[in-house]
Amino acid sequence: MSILTVETRPFDNQKPGTSGLRKKVPHFQQPNYAENFIQAIFDAADVPEGGTLVVGGDGRFFNREVVGTVIRMAAANGFGRVVVGRDGLLSTPAASNLIRQRKAAGGIILSASHNPGGPDGDFGIKYNVANGGPAPEGVTERIYARTRDLSQYRISDAQAPDLSQPGTTRIEAMDVEIVDPVADYAALMETLFDFDAIRAAIAGGLTLRFDAMHAITGPYATEILERRLGAPAGSVVNAVPLEDFGGGHPDPNVVWAAPLVDHLRSANAPAFGAASDGDGDRNMILGKGIVVTPSDSLAILAANAHLAKGYAGGISGIARSMPTSQAADRVAAKLKIGMFETPTGWKFFGNLLDAGKVTICGEESSGTGSDHVREKDGLWAVLLWLNILAVRGMGVADIVHEHWKTYGRNYYQRHDYEEVDKKAAEDLMDSLRGRLASMAGQRFGTLVVSEADDFSYKDPVDGSVSTGQGVRIIFSGGSRIVFRLSGTGTKGATLRVYLERFEANPDKHGLPVEEALKELIDTADAIGEIRKRTGRSEPDVRT
Ligand code: VG1
Ligand code: CO
């Protein structure tokens, strides 16, 4: 066995997006494509000699091959140990936990999250740093710079080990430790939540369905919900991870999780429903006849977290991404704790969590999590909800309605226009930016613009500044429209339009969301010229 130095040439399209590098599988299959990016990570990350690396992915097509490549390259780049999930599997939050538990230098997570998989689907590589969280922008910029001047990579010519059996093997001078992907994660969950209370509630008739969407959370949910908490066998559906997710998008929203939504609306609906995404970091929460808006879920979890033993002492603060609704801000104000507004992407929460400024974080895109790891965590949110239901003895819908009564309701929706012509989408954003300065004071129907800007964020911990994070148009009274382009798509551009309106009056909390937001939806088209510029009359997805 020897270590090879392979000559290569840079690719000019390896810029990490919101959450790592994502491309179509055939793109990743080009000779040296994955190897170059992995070498750039190792070069940019300043690997400590003999350090530990965590590796795993969501099991999508090409996962196994790239896990092998990462292991062979780690052995040639000075790592002393690789910790890898059995069969190369690890959910994103479980990987974050392992990085922290094992005091690893970092981790490589292979996933394109909620994007479809299979030979023509998507693939992705993400680097997480020693705190368990996604590499901050300074690191991703260094990785990108390195991809542009790379001329060699190092790899062992040994075969990658068989990953099907837990235990430790060796490649070159490096240990490869194959671990049960679920065990440490499930143990962590038992420290945070009152499993006895949840078990008793389930035994007493709290019915549930969890849809794993043929993605990574199947084994985690089966172990935790069925084996440890006693939910009847079959409560977890689509539990076997498949390389192509059974042909669907493992995206827990009303479009891609429609069978779950229909089930929760049916006559024999369980009391609680949930789903997670490809890599297990997102969550969708439902009750009998209700889908909980992710922004509301964040606010409700923050307001009730003290009911779970891991948060019994209260939470120190809340952070949300800028486009996420301001429902959580009202909870923070009532609890008199800090509230932070960050750009989209979990990497911006890391410093706040490390500094103890916040305990709970969330994004409108179905991501919620806490300081137990440094990633959003789908099953964590499910368990916190179950813990709250068990303690309060109320249904999901009643908890949501009571929350609105106490805090008011932030009507909210996101409209996605997918695979839009890239140039048209960029022009739309440029045109908006060009008009920001003159927007204040303009009237659209009953709405008057009070402020308009392109969001920028100064990290309160390390002082780093991130600009160009989305155009915000704020109206007097607090309603908002936000426009931004997705940083996770792999084809054309995805335009995201976020709409929010606050309603304090409980008598007006029962409107259909689209009716409540009608004026804002029309105004978004008037200001953004969406139809004219994209040729689309309707969004592809409303979440
Ligand atoms: C999307 C979401 C963002 C999330 C990111 C990664 O990014 O909007 O909130 O953090 O996906 O999540 P974008 O740039 O496409 O809007 V995941 O579960 O895909 O790792
Ligand atoms: Co995800």
Side-chain angles (χ1 to χ4, degrees), residues 526-542:
I527 297 181
E529 303 172 335
I530 302 169
R531 280 170 208 240
K532 190 179 113 196
R533 289 177 177 274
T534 66
R536 304 287 178 84
S537 53
E538 287 292 322
D540 297 278
V541 183
R542 293 184 173 87

Side-chain angles (χ1 to χ4, degrees), residues 18-19 22 113-114 277 279 281-282 344-346 363-365 376 414 484 486-488 496:
T18 312
S19 184
R22 285 188 197 172
S113 191
H114 54 289
D277 70 336
D279 62 329
D281 57 1
R282 297 188 179 197
T344 294
W346 211 261
E363 294 192 280
E364 50 64 40
S365 54
K376 53 190 187 277
R414 186 180 93 191
R484 63 177 280 281
S486 156
T488 56
R496 302 203 196 282

Side-chain angles (χ1 to χ4, degrees), residues 251-259 261 265 284 291 541-543:
D251 194 352
N253 62 33
V254 291
V255 174
W256 292 106
V261 177
R265 284 193 187 127
M284 182 191 197
V291 178
V541 183
R542 293 184 173 87
T543 53

